[in-house]
Amino acid sequence: MYTLGVSADRRYQLQSEPGNRAIDALLEQLRIPAGSWRLYADMLTTVLKLYEDGAGVADLKITSAALKELRYGYKVFAPWRGVPKVTVFGSARTPIDHPVSQQAHAFGKRMTSGGWMVMTGAGSGVMGSAQEGAGREKSFGLNIRLPFEQEANPWILDDPKLITFKYFFTRKLFLVREAQAMAYFPGGFGTADEAFETLTLIQTGKAALVPVVLVDAPGGKFWESFERFVREHMAGEGMISPEDFALYRRLDDVEAAAAECERFYRVFHSQRYVGDTLVFRLRRPLEAPALADLGSRFADILSGAPEQAAGPLGAEGGEHPELSRLILPFNRRSYGRLRQLIDVVNQ
């Protein structure tokens, strides 16, 4: 029997368990670093628990394929983790001469000229146009295996930065996890699904706050109609909060969309939690009056006064030592308001 159900500390005290002893011996033989020892041990224990639970072949196939896709995705993205990336979503069916495709092409070109890389679902239409604008060297393609329609576009085909996924959920993870910004152009069910999922993840704190832009062709009504539905039904009936509209920007100008992505990182750099405390890494510290104003204006989502530190907190492991820290006792109740706080920081 394997001891997945007990606490981590207790689990590693149970050296009499044959499974634990075997796992520990394997990890010791592989010279796994102490900092990641328990994570590897937990994963191996979970695999053995599948056997203990009598998991069926279909369950094992799903688990195995998903784990392989995750591992390969981590490997592909690892060399590029320091480069900002924007994910472009949109229809695979939009002709190349369509105004929306032309917008996507211009957006891809504009973002890469500013030092970004572009990720798409690797299809044609909006995705292919954005990829063409960005160029192969500055593109990632995250394809999905479908019985029709979804072949990788020629701008990313056969590139080592092209990943083909079996499952939508693993593909979506990377489209969101690896992005420092997300741009949505008009599309079908898939685009709507991805837009709502991204907003849900950010709204609930399951994904980091990043700039989200809904980009239409000049004078287009696609996202205007989307927002009308959200305002009239979701917000109008109290299903979301008014502050949630701060989680995205609706635009029909490529330069404005690109500027929105870049402006988000003018002072703000990144975020992480240290225990229950939210820490923003900043490119420069705030002046004392600005810090006090921040605490006053956002007292509704802060349980105390914000503070600053010159460098990493102890639990950050020395990450980004060159950046100052804004320490926020955030109550995790409104990420829309937190997005507004970032806007103030960037002013």
Side-chain angles (χ1 to χ4, degrees), residues 214-235:
L214 310 182
V215 189
D216 215 325
K221 302 296 183 182
F222 186 93
W223 293 116
E224 180 182 320
S225 299
F226 166 88
E227 186 174 70
R228 187 183 310 118
F229 168 79
V230 173
R231 287 190 181 278
E232 290 181 5
H233 297 282
M234 295 183 180

Side-chain angles (χ1 to χ4, degrees), residues 21-336:
R21 290 205 307 272
I23 289 172
D24 287 347
L26 174 62
L27 297 181
E28 185 173 352
Q29 182 180 356
L30 295 174
R31 298 183 180 180
I32 300 297
S36 54
W37 181 292
R38 289 191 176 185
L39 295 172
Y40 281 110
D42 280 349
M43 287 189 284
L44 291 170
T45 301
T46 299
V47 170
L48 295 176
K49 287 290 287 184
L50 284 168
Y51 169 75
E52 181 183 283
D53 296 340
V57 173
D59 298 336
L60 295 175
K61 285 183 176 180
I62 292 172
T63 305
S64 176
L67 186 58
K68 287 178 181 178
E69 292 187 351
L70 292 172
R71 183 211 65 84
Y72 186 67
Y74 300 148
K75 177 182 177 181
V76 171
F77 277 101
W80 309 95
R81 285 271 159 74
V83 182
K85 304 171 198 70
V86 56
T87 301
V88 175
F89 301 89
S91 175
R93 305 184 186 187
T94 309
I96 193 170
D97 58 349
H98 193 284
V100 169
S101 291
Q102 293 174 351
Q103 283 282 82
H105 183 281
F107 181 78
K109 185 175 183 179
R110 168 63 177 81
M111 292 304 294
T112 54
S113 70
W116 291 62
M117 297 183 78
V118 168
M119 291 189 291
T120 80
S124 54
V126 165
M127 294 175 280
S129 294
Q131 214 107 55
E132 181 183 6
R136 178 183 293 264
E137 291 187 2
K138 296 184 178 181
S139 291
F140 284 87
L142 281 65
N143 199 15
I144 184 75
R145 274 185 268 167
L146 294 176
F148 65 95
E149 195 173 74
Q150 188 74 2
E151 294 183 2
N153 66 68
W155 308 105
I156 197 64
L157 186 65
D158 297 326
D159 191 279
K161 300 189 301 302
L162 171 66
I163 309 171
T164 299
F165 292 87
K166 179 178 182 180
Y167 298 120
F168 273 107
F169 74 90
T170 48
R171 179 182 184 238
K172 287 179 179 179
L173 173 67
F174 285 100
L175 286 169
V176 175
R177 181 181 188 264
E178 299 294 337
Q180 283 71 51
M182 283 177 268
Y184 290 86
F185 290 77
F189 287 153
T191 301
D193 169 60
E194 289 154 341
F196 276 123
E197 180 163 353
T198 292
L199 292 173
T200 300
L201 291 171
I202 296 176
Q203 179 203 45
T204 57
K206 292 297 185 180
L209 281 162
V210 299
V212 176
V213 291
L214 310 182
V215 189
D216 215 325
K221 302 296 183 182
F222 186 93
W223 293 116
E224 180 182 320
S225 299
F226 166 88
E227 186 174 70
R228 187 183 310 118
F229 168 79
V230 173
R231 287 190 181 278
E232 290 181 5
H233 297 282
M234 295 183 180
E237 298 178 33
M239 297 174 183
I240 64 171
S241 301
E243 295 80 13
D244 291 330
F245 288 98
L247 298 176
Y248 68 85
R249 302 289 189 271
R250 181 170 58 83
L251 303 160
D252 65 359
D253 179 79
V254 166
E255 183 57 38
E260 176 65 25
C261 296
E262 294 170 339
R263 189 182 304 114
F264 186 88
Y265 297 101
R266 179 173 175 265
V267 177
F268 176 86
H269 177 276
S270 56
Q271 69 179 67
R272 67 160 294 174
Y273 280 95
V274 176
D276 292 329
T277 300
L278 179 60
V279 177
F280 282 177
R281 287 84 168 257
L282 303 183
R283 301 180 190 278
R284 61 172 176 77
L286 302 180
E287 300 288 342
L291 184 65
D293 179 63
L294 206 65
S296 175
R297 291 174 65 172
F298 294 94
D300 57 311
I301 60 168
L302 301 176
S303 59
E307 300 177 359
Q308 292 194 99
L313 304 190
E316 289 186 84
E319 295 177 337
H320 300 293
E322 75 283 5
L323 300 176
S324 62
R325 263 55 174 181
L326 175 61
I327 304 165
L328 297 167
F330 176 50
N331 62 16
R332 304 197 191 193
R333 291 182 182 174
S334 175
Y335 287 87

